[in-house]
């Protein structure tokens, strides 16, 4: 099993690239954002509780996403590995993920970080708001808050992973196809 983290600020292209990369490398794509939105759509109690937090662009509590990921890891068999998208989001979640994988004889193999300029992030998210219906894309204040939450709470994971020699920055500017090739080239070395 080989396990990748795909990282980057909101709008950097994590979801877009993950779908294609998961198919190419036979990986299971695990997006905590998608899982949380599925809870909201299904009208579960958890979804109801989390939707107000997500609408402001703040993070939901660590234990909520850790539990979701653990359940998925145990349900999944027969894949080449996992592609974690939008998880972990805090150093605490990273430590928990390492623990979870370690207990199952796995580890994080590589962290790919998409670097995208701030104005491009905002442009992509505002453009998506028209189609996605995501409440957190509609309001520029929320979009900016998501970017600043990424900087304060999520970016510290980069240093944590750099020390473990897992950090691989990737230019996230340009066409979807070009970025896909850049990411694939790094991942090829591991699968
Ligand atoms: P989440 O769903 O993870 O959202 P996000 O990190 O804000 O990221 P996005 O999904 O908006 O961006 P993306 O990088 O996936 O880009 P995409 O490919 O879609 O999280 C949502 C919320 O859930 C969080 O705010 C938090 O509340 C909660 N949450 C989730 N996980 C959590 C966790 N682990 N812990 C705590 N809370 C958690 O692309 C964006 C747009 O750009 C698309 O329209 C796409 O078509 C377009 N695009 C992509 N690439 C390009 C390109 N190269 N050129 C032009 N357009 C492009
Ligand atoms: Mg996404």
């Amino acid at each position: 099993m080989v396990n990748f983290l795909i990282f980057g600020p909101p709008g950097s292209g994590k979801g877009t690239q993950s779908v294609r990369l998961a198919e190419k490398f036979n990986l299971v794509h695990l997006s905590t954002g998608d899982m949380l939105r599925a809870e909201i759509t299904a009208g579960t109690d958890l979804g109801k509780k989390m939707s107000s937090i997500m609408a402001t662009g703040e993070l939901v509590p660590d234990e909520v996403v850790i539990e979701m990921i653990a359940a998925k890891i145990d349900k999944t068999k027969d894949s080449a590995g996992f592609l974690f998208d939008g998880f972990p989001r805090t150093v605490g979640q990273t430590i928990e993920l390492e623990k979870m994988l370690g207990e199952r004889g796995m580890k994080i193999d590589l962290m790919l970080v998409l670097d995208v300029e701030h104005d491009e992030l905002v442009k992509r998210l505002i453009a998506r708001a028209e189609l996605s219906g995501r409440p957190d894309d509609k309001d520029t204040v929320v979009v900016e808050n998501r970017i600043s939450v990424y900087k304060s709470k999520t970016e510290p994971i980069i240093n944590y992973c750099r020390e473990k020699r897992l950090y691989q920055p990737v230019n996230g500017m340009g066409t979807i196809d070009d970025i896909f090739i850049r990411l694939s080239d790094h991942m090829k070395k591991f699968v």
Side-chain angles (χ1 to χ4, degrees):
M1 296 280 270
V2 58
N3 301 303
F4 299 98
L5 308 183
I6 184 150
F7 237 75
S12 58
K14 302 182 293 291
T16 305
Q17 298 293 340
S18 291
V19 171
R20 298 178 59 169
L21 293 166
E23 202 193 342
K24 181 177 167 88
F25 294 105
N26 184 31
L27 301 167
V28 176
H29 171 206
L30 294 182
S31 156
T32 42
D34 289 350
M35 290 176 209
L36 289 163
R37 281 184 290 277
E39 294 283 335
I40 295 173
T41 306
T44 65
D45 285 344
L46 181 69
K48 282 179 196 142
K49 278 193 207 141
M50 297 306 125
S51 68
S52 54
I53 302 176
M54 291 166 71
T56 65
E58 293 296 319
L59 298 181
V60 309
D62 282 359
E63 51 285 8
V64 169
V65 284
I66 289 163
E67 226 171 88
M68 286 179 149
I69 289 284
K72 292 278 180 186
I73 289 181
D74 283 333
K75 259 208 230 148
T76 309
K77 292 188 179 67
D78 301 330
S79 76
F82 294 100
L83 179 55
F84 295 96
D85 157 13
F87 177 88
R89 273 304 224 269
T90 60
V91 173
Q93 289 180 24
T94 314
I95 293 167
E96 281 302 317
L97 176 63
E98 287 182 309
K99 214 168 105 196
M100 246 189 277
L101 293 174
E103 284 164 1
R104 292 160 179 83
M106 297 186 280
K107 60 179 173 33
I108 300 167
D109 292 282
L110 188 66
M111 173 206 219
L112 297 146
V113 183
L114 291 167
D115 289 326
V116 177
E117 288 162 17
H118 177 272
D119 291 355
E120 173 70 11
L121 297 174
V122 177
K123 202 173 90 188
R124 288 184 192 174
L125 293 176
I126 297 300
R128 186 177 64 181
E130 301 293 316
L131 307 164
S132 70
R134 273 179 61 165
D136 57 348
D137 283 347
K138 286 208 171 71
D139 183 338
T140 43
V141 175
V142 175
V143 166
E144 291 292 356
N145 190 41
R146 283 159 63 201
I147 296 171
S148 93
V149 167
Y150 173 81
K151 288 205 173 113
S152 60
K153 304 214 164 122
T154 305
E155 237 174 26
I157 304 172
I158 292 182
N159 267 339
Y160 180 84
C161 285
R162 191 187 269 136
E163 281 167 16
K164 296 178 179 244
R165 300 184 175 276
L166 299 172
Y167 169 61
Q168 178 59 61
V170 178
N171 178 4
M173 298 288 289
T175 69
I176 290 172
D177 284 346
D178 285 346
I179 299 162
F180 177 70
I181 292 168
R182 286 176 207 145
L183 290 163
S184 298
D185 282 347
H186 289 295
M187 291 168 70
K188 265 187 215 154
K189 298 170 198 157
F190 289 80
V191 292

